[in-house]
Amino acid sequence: DGGITQSPKYLFRKEGQNVTLSCEQNLNHDAMYWYRQDPGQGLRLIYYSQIVNDFQKGDIAEGYSVSREKKESFPLTVTSAQKNPTAFYLCASSIEDRVKYGYTFGSGTRLTVV
Amino acid sequence: KNEVEQSPQNLTAQEGEFITINCSYSVGISALHWLQQHPGGGIVSLFMLSSGKKKHGRLIATINIQEKHSSLHITASHPRDSAVYICAVRSGNQFYFGTGTSLTVIP
């Protein structure tokens, strides 16, 4: 079955360390997205990519970096510059016609800074 | 102010009750989505609407474009419906998300 795989499900990081969250999709979707979810807040867009080797900043890109070297993969790096990295991170993808088909979401990664 | 507002924030119901979750938005949209987030965190898409009404099993979603309002109804609610329900709208190239409605259905 096609879908989005995020790994790991839970991740612990020491302050000052960079950490990379994995997102892989086998849906042949063109666009991929990273969202952050905090208690009491809606999902907030970190970065998105509509095509390989291209990506754009979302609303809260500071302290994060991404790459899109392959269509299937869109890893997110949480850098030490991110002041409050503890959150739930969701990856999503969509085909070109998002109006008709919407998003497919991964199962998320819960990052905790210790 | 959020572009998408949901109500109520929390909802507790007895099994079998009819449930309504509301979503209002302030931007022009091309589509509205209802999402379900399970306790483990994974999100599934329930509906995508641009007009009218859609039904899937015990779930019904309606949208009124003129009033910028959508409702998600659950008939004959069941404990397995307990989850967070999120309303999201697409406006241009942006998606805006509500903060979610946490539903608990008690047996």
Side-chain angles (χ1 to χ4, degrees), chain B residues 15-26:
Chain B
E15 184 173 356
E17 283 186 13
F18 180 84
I19 288 163
T20 296
I21 300 171
N22 295 300
C23 174
S24 296
Y25 53 91
S26 58

Side-chain angles (χ1 to χ4, degrees), chain B residues 10-64:
Chain B
N10 297 284
L11 182 55
T12 300
Q14 289 292 132
E15 184 173 356
E17 283 186 13
F18 180 84
I19 288 163
T20 296
I21 300 171
N22 295 300
C23 174
S24 296
Y25 53 91
S26 58
V27 294
I29 70 168
S30 53
L32 181 143
H33 300 254
W34 280 103
L35 310 171
Q36 182 189 53
Q37 185 170 29
H38 292 285
I43 290 180
V44 296
S45 179
L46 298 174
F47 293 104
M48 185 168 61
L49 296 162
S50 53
S51 65
K53 178 179 174 178
K54 285 190 176 180
K55 184 175 189 292
H56 185 256
R58 295 180 294 106
L59 302 177
I60 303 166
T62 63
I63 188 168
N64 184 319

Side-chain angles (χ1 to χ4, degrees), chain A residues 3-6 27 33 35 43 90-93 102-108, chain B residues 35 41-45 88 97:
Chain A
I4 296 181
T5 301
Q6 285 188 244
L27 300 164
Y33 310 80
Y35 285 92
L43 295 168
L90 279 159
C91 179
S93 71
Y103 277 147
T104 299
F105 282 92
S107 56
Chain B
L35 310 171
I43 290 180
V44 296
S45 179
F97 293 84

Side-chain angles (χ1 to χ4, degrees), chain A residues 35 37 98-100 103, chain B residues 33 37 48 90 93 95 97:
Chain A
Y35 285 92
Q37 187 177 39
R98 290 187 292 280
V99 174
K100 187 174 180 182
Y103 277 147
Chain B
H33 300 254
Q37 185 170 29
M48 185 168 61
R90 177 167 181 210
N93 209 29
F95 273 87
F97 293 84

Side-chain angles (χ1 to χ4, degrees), chain A residues 71-90:
Chain A
K71 188 175 186 178
E72 301 79 19
S73 179
F74 191 41
L76 174 74
T77 297
V78 184
T79 75
S80 56
Q82 168 51 235
K83 298 303 179 192
N84 187 20
T86 295
F88 187 66
Y89 292 87
L90 279 159

Side-chain angles (χ1 to χ4, degrees), chain A residues 44-55:
Chain A
R44 293 183 291 167
L45 181 64
I46 304 172
Y47 267 98
Y48 65 101
S49 167
Q50 294 178 297
I51 195 170
V52 173
N53 292 322
D54 188 40
F55 47 82

